[in-house]
């Protein structure tokens, strides 16, 4: 074995060790939370529960989902994620298509105005007063309207739109297609990978967001599930109150539940849906946009 082959072999071994370490560091916290959520609450307080539940039980999940508040919080989160993600893609893609057209009058001026908003922000208090004036406080649309458009996402989609050969669009226009038809039936299908990626990022944002609910709503009926989780983790009295309320519906299994394992079960329940969806969108990150669409 020559020196070059030996060096490549050690490089491969080092790369495997490095990647294995990264995977372990990334997955270990989620695995520990998953193991703890399936462990008996009182037994978990003894410590040393890491690789596998020492006393397996599903009482923690029964307690979490025994309270109707959680179901309503999940409904708010799912609703804002689906509606916010779809409207964000539709609105941002529409603007990006217009900005990608060379014949748009004042395109450079619009672009400068949009880029300015990326560097200057009015601040929390002016934003709060603005939302109050237009009636977004304690309104479900406070989750949707402010996130309709993103300059950064618009630039990414616009860049992909510009890679589409002009001949394709001109051919569609010669066949009598209008701009909206070209966008919906021709351009957007060709840019499905980037749209799926942005949809995933925006969906994760909506799913994990709680600061807007914390700052702009006071109604418990508008609380997303992440806000409930945040209060359970940071507010000991809220966590104990939630634990007592949850176990009151199932007194026979209350002895298998603790506030610590309830928090872990809540973390897993709020994280699992978005983790389960990711593999279905992962393929769009590696697909080409225009492979085989134009010859020559």
């Amino acid at each position: 074995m020559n020196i070059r082959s030996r060096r490549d072999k050690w490089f491969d071994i080092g790369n495997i060790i490095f990647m294995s370490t990264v995977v372990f560091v990334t997955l270990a916290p989620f695995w520990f939370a998953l193991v703890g959520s399936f462990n008996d609450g009182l037994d978990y307080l003894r410590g040393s529960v890491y690789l596998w539940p020492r006393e397996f039980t599903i009482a923690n999940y029964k307690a979490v989902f025994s309270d109707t508040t959680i179901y309503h919080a999940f409904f708010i989160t799912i609703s804002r994620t689906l509606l916010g993600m779809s409207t964000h893609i539709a609105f941002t893609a529409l603007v990006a298509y217009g900005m990608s057209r060379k014949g748009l009058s004042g395109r450079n001026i619009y672009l400068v105005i949009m880029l300015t908003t990326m560097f200057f922000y009015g601040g929390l208090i002016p934003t709060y007063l603005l939302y109050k004036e237009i009636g977004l406080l304690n309104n479900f649309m406070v989750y949707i309207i402010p996130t309709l458009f993103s300059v950064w996402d618009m630039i990414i989609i616009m860049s992909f739109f510009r890679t589409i050969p002009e001949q394709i669009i001109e051919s569609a226009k010669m066949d009598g297609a209008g701009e909206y038809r070209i966008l919906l039936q021709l351009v957007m299908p060709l840019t499905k990978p980037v749209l799926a990626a942005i949809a995933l990022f925006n969906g994760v944002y909506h799913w994990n967001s709680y600061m807007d609910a914390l700052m702009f709503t006071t109604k418990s009926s508008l609380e997303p599930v992440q806000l409930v989780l945040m209060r359970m983790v940071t507010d000991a009295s809220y966590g104990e109150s939630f634990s007592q309320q949850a176990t009151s519906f199932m007194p026979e299994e209350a002895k298998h539940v603790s506030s610590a394992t309830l928090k872990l079960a809540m973390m897993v329940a709020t994280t699992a849906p978005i983790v389960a969806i990711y593999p279905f969108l992962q393929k769009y990150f590696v697909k080409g946009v225009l492979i085989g669409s134009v010859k020559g």
Side-chain angles (χ1 to χ4, degrees):
M1 182 182 293
N2 55 36
I3 298 177
R4 188 181 195 77
S5 300
R6 224 176 267 168
R7 189 187 309 133
D8 293 341
K9 179 181 178 180
W10 283 110
F11 176 81
D12 292 339
I13 294 175
N15 191 37
I16 292 173
I17 295 175
F18 174 75
M19 294 304 297
S20 300
T21 303
V22 171
V23 171
F24 174 78
V25 171
T26 303
L27 296 181
F30 184 77
W31 177 255
F32 293 155
L34 182 65
V35 169
S37 67
F38 282 106
N39 198 83
D40 180 272
L42 297 180
D43 177 73
Y44 182 81
L45 297 178
R46 292 166 47 199
S48 301
V49 180
Y50 301 116
L51 298 180
W52 197 254
R54 190 162 49 212
E55 293 188 17
F56 184 86
T57 180
I58 59 173
N60 297 301
Y61 290 96
K62 287 184 177 179
V64 166
F65 291 103
S66 64
D67 191 353
T68 56
T69 303
I70 297 301
Y71 290 99
H72 187 76
F74 266 106
F75 174 76
I76 293 296
T77 299
I78 294 173
S79 299
R80 69 168 295 180
T81 300
L82 294 178
L83 183 60
M85 181 176 59
S86 57
T87 54
H88 176 81
I89 288 296
F91 195 87
T92 305
L94 186 64
V95 176
Y97 178 71
M99 294 295 296
S100 67
R101 308 312 300 146
K102 296 180 180 179
L104 178 66
S105 301
R107 184 179 61 172
N108 293 334
I109 298 177
Y110 299 147
L111 187 59
V112 169
I113 294 174
M114 293 179 189
L115 292 176
T116 302
T117 64
M118 297 180 64
F119 299 98
F120 299 97
Y121 173 60
L124 179 58
I125 295 178
T127 301
Y128 183 89
L129 295 176
L130 174 63
Y131 288 179
K132 182 179 179 181
E133 284 295 320
I134 61 179
L136 286 182
L137 297 185
N138 286 321
N139 190 328
F140 178 78
M141 297 307 294
V142 75
Y143 302 142
I144 308 300
I145 294 178
T147 61
L148 278 177
F149 180 71
S150 166
V151 178
W152 178 253
D153 291 347
M154 187 275 296
I155 293 174
I156 295 175
I157 299 175
M158 180 181 66
S159 300
F160 271 75
F161 284 170
R162 287 179 175 176
T163 62
I164 298 177
E166 194 67 26
Q167 296 91 325
I168 295 180
I169 297 177
E170 292 298 329
S171 298
K173 288 182 178 180
M174 291 176 64
D175 291 336
E179 295 290 354
Y180 288 105
R181 186 175 180 182
I182 293 174
L183 173 63
L184 296 176
Q185 297 184 4
L186 181 62
V187 176
M188 293 189 71
L190 291 175
T191 55
K192 188 185 297 183
V194 69
L195 296 179
I198 290 177
L200 177 62
F201 296 147
N202 187 258
V204 170
Y205 162 77
H206 277 288
W207 186 271
N208 291 331
S209 180
Y210 65 88
M211 286 300 297
D212 46 8
L214 184 64
M215 293 184 294
F216 304 123
T217 65
T218 56
K219 295 180 179 178
S220 58
S221 59
L222 292 175
E223 289 185 355
V225 69
Q226 297 295 347
L227 182 58
V228 176
L229 174 61
M230 186 273 292
R231 287 178 174 170
M232 284 184 62
V233 173
T234 60
D235 190 342
S237 61
Y238 183 87
E240 289 295 333
S241 175
F242 181 88
S243 176
Q244 295 174 4
Q245 184 177 358
T247 54
S248 65
F249 296 101
M250 36 176 289
E252 71 282 356
E253 297 188 10
K255 60 182 179 180
H256 301 294
V257 174
S258 69
S259 60
T261 53
L262 270 181
K263 293 176 183 178
L264 295 177
M266 188 70 176
M267 290 178 186
V268 174
T270 56
T271 307
I274 205 70
V275 173
I277 292 175
Y278 177 79
F280 296 99
L281 296 177
Q282 185 182 15
K283 61 182 179 180
Y284 292 111
F285 292 106
V286 295
K287 278 189 175 180
V289 182
L290 294 175
I291 297 178
S293 62
V294 179
K295 294 182 179 180

